[in-house]
Amino acid sequence: MLTLTNYSLGYRHKPLLDHVSLSIQPGSITGLVAPNGHGKTTLLKAIAGCGDGRASGSLAVDGITPRDGVALRRAIFYAPGDATLLYPGLTAQDHLKMAQRLWMSTLDIKTVAEKTGVAAFARKRVRTLSQGMKQQLALAIAYLTEAPYLLLDEPMNALDPTNVQINSDILRALAHRGTAIVMSSHILDNVDALADRIIFIKDQKLLEHDPEASHEGALSVYRRLYRQ
């Protein structure tokens, strides 16, 4: 289980979260929603141990703390939504091979590439790929790591409807097998379709929403919380 306890987070001189607590269970999909500037990306990076925000409080992942840097990086994989994960001069296949080696993955590269649609451009260099192809590759890398906790920042960004559906199905299957997924997104229909619960960031607090219990969609809650 991933837990934040009495956790505060800021970026530069801006406070983003103030003494919040959160638990992420294995096998769950959690949506993270807020307008730009509220700290979604900063929070995901902080949890993954790759951010530059100012954090205090307790963070633990299956008993692993940020002091155990190597173990934490194997337990959590953070995939940004802007392709900064990728090296322009390497091919898509190069990236998959590197991920398999670094995370000691037992998955077959060819199978992952075919399921995610990356096989169609596996030998192309990243600099030649469209934004949608780069996003497909970033997600394929995330799946290939077999990390038990995936933090996905705008994972459906730039994907066409077919690839949104493909990756939605993959995420559901991963969660069913025990992977915990936290996904920030502005595509609220997709959040509704995938998330077991939705966390909104408002006034430096985390507000939990259970869409099944309330029968209220993410867009409706978003409008109510941020209408001003």
Side-chain angles (χ1 to χ4, degrees):
M1 182 168 63
L2 188 159
T3 58
L4 300 177
T5 307
N6 201 28
Y7 193 79
S8 296
L9 181 65
Y11 182 71
R12 295 178 179 172
H13 300 293
K14 181 179 181 180
L16 297 171
L17 294 174
D18 181 31
H19 295 88
V20 302
S21 295
L22 176 67
S23 296
I24 303 295
Q25 299 284 349
S28 64
I29 301 179
T30 300
L32 183 62
V33 174
N36 290 333
H38 279 60
K40 301 186 299 298
T41 295
T42 304
L43 175 59
L44 294 180
K45 286 183 174 180
I47 294 172
C50 61
D52 53 3
R54 297 173 288 102
S56 64
S58 173
L59 163 66
V61 183
D62 295 340
I64 303 166
T65 68
R67 294 180 180 178
D68 306 316
V70 174
L72 185 68
R73 285 190 289 274
R74 292 202 179 279
I76 300 175
F77 187 83
Y78 167 71
D82 58 4
T84 53
L85 173 71
L86 308 176
Y87 295 91
L90 297 182
T91 68
Q93 185 167 280
D94 291 335
H95 282 84
L96 297 181
K97 288 180 178 179
M98 183 165 52
Q100 185 187 54
R101 182 174 67 254
L102 291 175
W103 272 268
M104 297 181 288
S105 174
T106 62
L107 297 180
D108 178 64
I109 288 177
K110 183 179 179 181
T111 300
V112 173
E114 289 175 349
K115 284 185 176 180
T116 57
V118 171
F121 52 87
R123 298 186 183 279
K124 291 186 177 182
R125 298 189 187 278
V126 165
R127 68 166 64 95
T128 69
L129 302 181
S130 69
Q131 194 63 33
M133 290 175 178
K134 292 175 183 177
Q135 189 63 14
Q136 286 175 253
L137 176 57
L139 289 170
I141 292 168
Y143 307 148
L144 192 59
T145 66
E146 296 186 285
Y149 296 87
L150 293 181
L151 309 182
L152 309 179
D153 202 354
E154 297 290 347
M156 307 303 175
N157 183 37
L159 296 184
D160 60 37
T162 298
N163 280 299
V164 168
Q165 187 61 57
I166 288 170
N167 284 282
S168 295
D169 292 343
I170 291 172
L171 291 176
R172 289 191 191 95
L174 286 172
H176 183 72
R177 294 196 293 269
T179 302
I181 297 158
V182 181
M183 53 175 283
S184 77
S185 182
H186 289 115
I187 306 175
L188 299 186
D189 286 346
N190 187 245
V191 173
D192 280 334
L194 283 174
D196 307 308
R197 64 171 178 168
I198 305 170
I199 303 296
F200 293 88
I201 302 176
K202 171 75 172 178
D203 297 331
Q204 301 172 35
K205 299 298 181 184
L206 299 180
L207 307 179
E208 182 172 344
H209 172 66
D210 184 339
E212 186 172 345
S214 69
H215 304 291
E216 186 178 17
L219 179 58
S220 176
V221 178
Y222 187 98
R223 286 172 172 165
R224 174 160 47 82
L225 289 177
Y226 307 112
R227 58 190 171 192
Q228 295 180 344

